[in-house]
Amino acid sequence: MKNKQDSLYVSTLARGLQILRAFDESHVSLSLTDLVARTGLEKSAVQRMAHTLHLEGMLDRDPKTRRFRPSHAWLELAYAYYWSDPVIARALPKLIEFSHAEGETINLAQMSGDHIIYSLRLPNQRIHFAASIVGRRLPALNTAAGRVMLSTRPDAEIDEVCANWPLVQATRKTLTDRDEIARSIKAARENGYCITRDQMLLNEISLAAPVRGTDGQAEAAVQISISGVAFDERQVLEKFLPTLLDTTAGILG
Amino acid sequence: MKNKQDSLYVSTLARGLQILRAFDESHVSLSLTDLVARTGLEKSAVQRMAHTLHLEGMLDRDPKTRRFRPSHAWLELAYAYYWSDPVIARALPKLIEFSHAEGETINLAQMSGDHIIYSLRLPNQRIHFAASIVGRRLPALNTAAGRVMLSTRPDAEIDEVCANWPLVQATRKTLTDRDEIARSIKAARENGYCITRDQMLLNEISLAAPVRGTDGQAEAAVQISISGVAFDERQVLEKFLPTLLDTTAGILG
DNA sequence: TTCGGAGTTATCATTATTTGATAACTGTGA
DNA sequence: TCACAGTTATCAAATAATGATAACTCCGAA
């Protein structure tokens, strides 16, 4: 980040990006002084960067409160992303079919460093907001989708990431024993799927299967969220696993 | 863009943004020389900006071809946008209900300058890719959603934008007569909805109704796309208008 | 295998641009 | 009415970006 001696690194641009990244789910609108606090930049720098981003259409500004907000341009960037990632176009029609068949919430997840990111979401019943919108990141080891994608990698790599990648304790039942997670990943390799319960949210069952690239490694995972009140894990497998595997197999084409 | 005498304008940041905006649906990956051609920047500037954006995680780079691509960070920005816009959270559960009830493709659209932008999409059957993903922009005057949002504005403004805003001729049946569009908008005000056919795509019927803010002006529009092969306009109104109006009314809460 | 050339990476002197400090302004609540 | 927190404007100093150019890589053709 703080790359010194890199003569090609343009720190002014990096500072501007810091402003954009200051916005997140708990910082939905920020004043100049908020931005100063969140970025650690000079007051003058923040003033200039925010002003420029506003003129360039990247930030909206409430004329009353003078606070900045993400603009529609942020969605246009997502649009460009969707076109650029070939997995998306291949997966989307299959996900729609799947969603239609099951009437449950279907997601496409991808690896993004040591997290997964949800890149497509088809919400089908009332779940909480964060679980309905794309772009959410979660630690890969905490999630069924992350584990099933890791399961397509060599053993050595699995042990390595299980030892080092971040974990969060999202619920009191979240699994944080790294050895057990490693075992869960290796079991996923045998099974071709991964199922979890109560990991990010209580009473949520999550079932995921990998979308394999030509080299056999996972490019993505299709994941389905089911209420743990209505079903137990065995029922979920019986009811949803076959269509899930059909879906992921179909995406390979 | 070419801002002179604005001492707060940081042109270096603006140049970096130009790199990001060079990517779109027909430019999904770009080499350095592509970027030079598309942005008109100096070769050296492009080299530095792209390098910085790569280090900052905003661009991925294919190690083989050396081409740049949008990164997952672009979806994270969309995530932040979704949290920041209060209409989204209010509309989403209602859209899910609506989508569930009708089994058709439902969208939330918002005004963005003289275009509309789709901010939520619940695709429910196979439609073309561009119509399934968020962030797409279309000239407001060409669309049912745009017209119905404009219909909540004063007459003077409607006449003004009808005279000046951009139009595209997307199909041979696209309406390009500006007076007729103005009449269509005023009719939408009387009706509380707008219906179009063959405007952006042949055999597509589009029905939209406004989501009104406290001042009565539209904050957004809910729009539904229906096959013009299976239904005619009268049938569409009969079948979908009541639930559409329920949906938009419900979002006001 | 060598060669040519397009495209990418690296270097550097020059100075235009950004910088950060500070002053002036604005509006809101006491 | 005042005080103050937050926002906007100004400016001299020099850092950090610039653009020209050179060196390097890689790929395909001969």
Side-chain angles (χ1 to χ4, degrees):
Chain A
M1 215 72 166
K2 254 310 173 33
N3 208 309
K4 273 306 150 198
Q5 22 259 46
D6 181 344
S7 64
L8 294 179
Y9 186 79
V10 182
S11 51
T12 305
L13 173 53
R15 258 175 288 224
L17 296 175
Q18 275 189 76
I19 302 284
L20 298 182
R21 286 194 288 241
F23 295 86
D24 65 20
E25 63 190 80
S26 47
H27 300 89
V28 298
S29 90
L30 295 169
S31 67
L32 281 176
T33 41
D34 292 340
L35 283 167
V36 170
R38 263 183 79 67
T39 60
L41 297 175
E42 290 292 326
K43 181 163 76 163
S44 303
V46 168
Q47 179 188 10
R48 284 190 295 266
M49 299 298 158
H51 176 251
T52 306
L53 290 168
H54 177 55
L55 285 184
E56 292 296 325
M58 293 300 296
L59 290 177
D60 287 344
R61 184 165 211 188
D62 185 311
K64 190 85 185 161
T65 68
R66 323 252 79 188
R67 306 185 120 246
F68 293 97
R69 291 208 4 225
S71 77
H72 286 144
W74 299 34
L75 290 182
E76 287 180 66
L77 292 179
Y79 185 72
Y81 175 85
Y82 280 129
W83 282 96
S84 75
D85 184 345
V87 180
I88 300 293
R90 272 159 48 215
L92 183 54
K94 304 292 176 186
L95 291 198
I96 292 174
E97 268 178 41
F98 188 26
S99 152
H100 211 253
E102 301 299 357
E104 300 287 337
T105 298
I106 314 291
N107 299 303
L108 188 76
Q110 292 176 271
M111 275 305 207
S112 180
D114 49 23
H115 280 57
I116 61 161
I117 187 164
Y118 289 109
S119 42
L120 288 174
R121 314 202 80 158
L122 301 177
N124 253 25
Q125 43 199 41
R126 284 198 207 194
I127 44 180
H128 64 290
F129 187 62
S132 317
I133 58 184
V134 297
R136 188 179 196 209
R137 281 164 54 91
L138 296 173
L141 295 179
N142 282 113
T143 63
R147 290 185 200 164
V148 89
M149 283 191 272
L150 287 171
S151 79
T152 66
R153 301 193 186 179
D155 267 351
E157 204 177 335
I158 294 173
D159 293 333
E160 143 106 46
V161 308
C162 281
N164 298 308
W165 280 10
L167 280 172
V168 293
Q169 176 91 39
T171 75
R172 71 192 147 76
K173 295 199 179 166
T174 302
L175 183 62
T176 52
D177 180 318
R178 292 178 178 272
D179 292 335
E180 265 199 67
I181 291 173
R183 278 194 293 280
S184 147
I185 292 174
K186 286 165 188 170
R189 176 157 54 201
E190 300 310 311
N191 296 328
Y193 66 83
C194 181
I195 187 165
T196 62
R197 188 190 168 103
D198 302 324
Q199 290 300 292
M200 295 308 303
L201 208 61
L202 286 176
N203 284 316
E204 186 198 47
I205 295 177
S206 176
L207 174 64
V211 175
R212 290 170 190 279
T214 43
D215 60 354
Q217 288 221 356
E219 294 183 297
V222 177
Q223 182 264 347
I224 176 166
S225 295
I226 301 118
S227 160
V229 178
F231 299 95
D232 65 22
E233 295 177 49
R234 177 158 309 180
Q235 291 172 311
V236 165
L237 286 178
E238 258 174 47
K239 188 160 156 50
F240 300 106
L241 185 57
T243 15
L244 174 61
L245 294 176
D246 281 353
T247 303
T248 54
I251 294 174
L252 182 52
Chain B
M1 216 72 169
K2 256 307 188 334
N3 206 305
K4 47 279 160 173
Q5 20 260 51
D6 182 344
S7 64
L8 294 179
Y9 186 79
V10 182
S11 51
T12 304
L13 173 54
R15 253 170 288 203
L17 296 175
Q18 275 189 76
I19 302 284
L20 298 182
R21 286 193 288 239
F23 295 87
D24 64 21
E25 63 191 80
S26 47
H27 301 88
V28 298
S29 91
L30 295 169
S31 67
L32 280 177
T33 39
D34 292 340
L35 284 167
V36 170
R38 264 184 78 67
T39 60
L41 296 176
E42 289 292 327
K43 182 162 76 162
S44 303
V46 168
Q47 179 187 10
R48 286 190 294 266
M49 298 299 158
H51 176 252
T52 306
L53 290 167
H54 177 54
L55 285 183
E56 292 295 324
M58 294 301 296
L59 290 177
D60 287 344
R61 184 165 211 189
D62 186 308
K64 189 85 185 160
T65 67
R66 324 250 78 189
R67 306 184 121 246
F68 293 97
R69 290 207 6 224
S71 78
H72 285 145
W74 297 34
L75 290 182
E76 286 180 67
L77 292 178
Y79 186 72
Y81 175 84
Y82 281 130
W83 282 97
S84 77
D85 183 346
V87 180
I88 300 293
R90 274 159 46 214
L92 184 54
K94 302 294 176 187
L95 291 198
I96 292 173
E97 267 178 42
F98 188 26
S99 152
H100 212 253
E102 301 299 357
E104 300 286 339
T105 299
I106 314 290
N107 299 303
L108 188 76
Q110 292 177 272
M111 275 304 212
S112 181
D114 49 22
H115 280 56
I116 61 160
I117 187 165
Y118 289 109
S119 43
L120 288 173
R121 314 201 80 157
L122 302 177
N124 254 26
Q125 44 198 38
R126 284 196 207 197
I127 43 178
H128 64 290
F129 188 62
S132 315
I133 57 183
V134 296
R136 186 178 199 211
R137 281 163 54 90
L138 296 173
L141 295 180
N142 281 114
T143 64
R147 290 184 200 164
V148 87
M149 283 191 273
L150 287 171
S151 79
T152 66
R153 301 193 185 178
D155 267 349
E157 206 178 334
I158 294 174
D159 293 332
E160 142 106 47
V161 308
C162 282
N164 298 308
W165 280 9
L167 279 172
V168 293
Q169 176 92 39
T171 75
R172 72 192 146 75
K173 295 199 179 165
T174 302
L175 182 62
T176 52
D177 180 316
R178 292 178 179 273
D179 291 334
E180 264 198 67
I181 291 174
R183 278 195 291 280
S184 148
I185 292 173
K186 286 166 187 168
R189 176 157 57 204
E190 299 310 310
N191 297 327
Y193 66 84
C194 181
I195 187 166
T196 63
R197 190 191 167 104
D198 303 323
Q199 291 301 292
M200 296 307 303
L201 207 61
L202 286 177
N203 284 316
E204 186 197 49
I205 296 177
S206 176
L207 174 64
V211 175
R212 290 170 190 279
T214 43
D215 59 355
Q217 289 220 355
E219 294 183 296
V222 177
Q223 182 264 347
I224 177 166
S225 293
I226 302 117
S227 159
V229 179
F231 300 94
D232 66 22
E233 295 176 50
R234 177 158 308 180
Q235 290 172 313
V236 165
L237 285 178
E238 259 175 46
K239 187 159 158 48
F240 299 106
L241 184 58
T243 17
L244 173 61
L245 294 176
D246 281 354
T247 302
T248 53
I251 294 173
L252 183 51

